Amino acid sequence: MKKIKEFIWPVIGLGAVVVSVYLLWHLLKGLSFADVKASLAAIPPHRYALAVASTLVAYGALAWYDRIALLHLGVKGISWLFVSVCSFTTYALSHNIGASVFSGAVVRYRAYTSKGLSPAQVAVLVALCSFTFGLGTAFLGGLVLVLEPELLQRVASLLPPVLASPTTARLVGFGLLGFVALYVIGSILHFRPLHIRSFKIEYPRPNIMGRQLIAAPLELLGAAGIIYFALPEVGNPGFLVVLAVFLASFSVALVSNAPGGIGVFELVFITAMPDLPKTDVLAAVLIFRLFYLLLPFALAIGVVLLFERGRLADALRNKAKSPDTVPPPPVDGPGITPDLHDVKVRKAV
């Protein structure tokens, strides 16, 4: 059963990619590469610069996730540079690979154990970073659904009618905000750990919780900003709409378990932007993939190779300094004086 479960999620992810690409092909049928290229060329340079700045904000906030988790663990002495590089590499790989054996958890384990953290501490760090992201998604998603519940109608074709209803959307929004409020109250009042099956949520100190509520929304705002600035100014539905569509698209892509959310993210986002030309929306999504996913992925591979090369070099140096063979004990012979302790042992025998 365990081996079967290991294959279930990859199969689900592959199936999500196949179905989404098929639906996306029908959605974009008739578009040409020249049209998309023209849309990319039409984006002004200053908006490209703003998209790059949004990317830096997003990855800076992701590095803050790790820093917050280290503060929660009481770990000090690890530089911001190391934490930032580790976080960048982790998310650049996990965003693109998805639920792979070579995941962000493995990268964090390799990096932080080299700084003295135990496997249990790394596990808590990974869990808290994941929860921080979920907390930010719940907070922003709840606000958007409460303030603009009709936004879900943009993806009504992909949802059951009851879920696309503004009333249902607002109720879901209040539920998400209620979850965040419970977490905040539990942290302030030091509630007992919350048990959900085998998962246990320990409420962090209020200063940690406050940082989570800033870092997570900041990361999501930065990521959504990449697409917002890549969309044309004429006909742009506004940042709130782009943020809502981004949260929905990104969440569905994560749940689908598709590597990098490929196909799934594009399908939901383009479907939810019917007022803009499809070529312009597709161009904005491609900019997002380039800045937030592909370029960081290429850099992350280089970082991993350099890190592992350094670890291997250290291991070889340590092996050279401490030879494996133990020198044989001295033997009696001409010109050799036996150790006094050795003589006593022999007499006793």
Side-chain angles (χ1 to χ4, degrees), residues 67-316:
R67 196 71 182 179
I68 291 169
L70 291 171
L71 287 174
H72 176 67
L73 291 168
V75 176
K76 299 179 181 179
I78 302 179
S79 69
W80 256 106
L81 178 61
F82 184 90
V83 173
S84 300
V85 172
C86 177
S87 171
F88 169 81
T89 306
T90 296
Y91 288 108
L93 291 174
S94 60
H95 284 162
N96 285 276
I97 298 175
S100 169
V101 175
F102 188 64
S103 65
V106 175
V107 176
R108 279 198 176 105
Y109 177 82
R110 294 284 293 165
Y112 286 119
T113 51
S114 73
K115 292 295 183 179
L117 270 69
S118 67
Q121 286 178 310
V122 176
V124 172
L125 185 145
V126 171
L128 190 63
C129 288
S130 299
F131 184 79
T132 299
F133 170 78
L135 187 69
T137 304
F139 180 57
L140 286 181
L143 283 177
V144 168
L145 291 177
V146 169
L147 295 175
E148 300 287 345
E150 67 281 356
L151 288 177
L152 274 186
Q153 293 182 342
R154 287 176 169 267
V155 288
S157 61
L158 302 176
L159 293 174
V162 64
L163 293 180
S165 155
T167 302
T168 304
R170 183 161 278 160
L171 288 174
V172 172
F174 278 121
L176 293 172
L177 292 179
F179 169 77
V180 176
L182 178 63
Y183 181 72
V184 171
I185 294 170
S187 174
I188 294 173
L189 300 182
H190 304 290
F191 283 179
R192 292 180 179 179
L194 178 64
H195 292 269
I196 304 175
R197 294 185 179 178
S198 60
F199 187 69
K200 182 173 72 172
I201 301 175
E202 293 188 6
Y203 294 95
R205 301 183 300 279
N207 63 327
I208 300 297
M209 175 269 298
R211 287 178 171 88
Q212 287 178 290
L213 288 178
I214 298 174
L218 185 63
E219 187 270 324
L220 293 167
L221 292 172
I226 301 171
I227 297 184
Y228 172 75
F229 290 119
L231 288 171
E233 295 183 68
V234 178
N236 194 310
F239 186 76
L240 185 62
V241 173
V242 174
L243 175 62
V245 175
F246 172 80
L247 291 173
S249 305
F250 205 70
S251 299
V252 173
L254 287 176
V255 172
S256 71
N257 209 51
I262 188 167
V264 181
F265 182 86
E266 287 82 358
L267 176 65
V268 178
F269 203 97
I270 295 173
T271 302
M273 291 288 178
D275 302 329
L276 287 170
K278 288 184 175 63
T279 52
D280 292 339
V281 181
L282 179 59
V285 173
L286 290 176
I287 292 297
F288 170 77
R289 281 207 171 272
L290 179 65
F291 288 179
Y292 190 77
L293 298 174
L294 298 180
L295 288 178
F297 183 57
L299 292 173
I301 292 175
V303 171
V304 170
L305 291 176
L306 289 174
F307 177 79
E308 294 299 339
R309 179 186 175 187
R311 292 292 298 272
L312 178 61
D314 290 341
L316 291 175

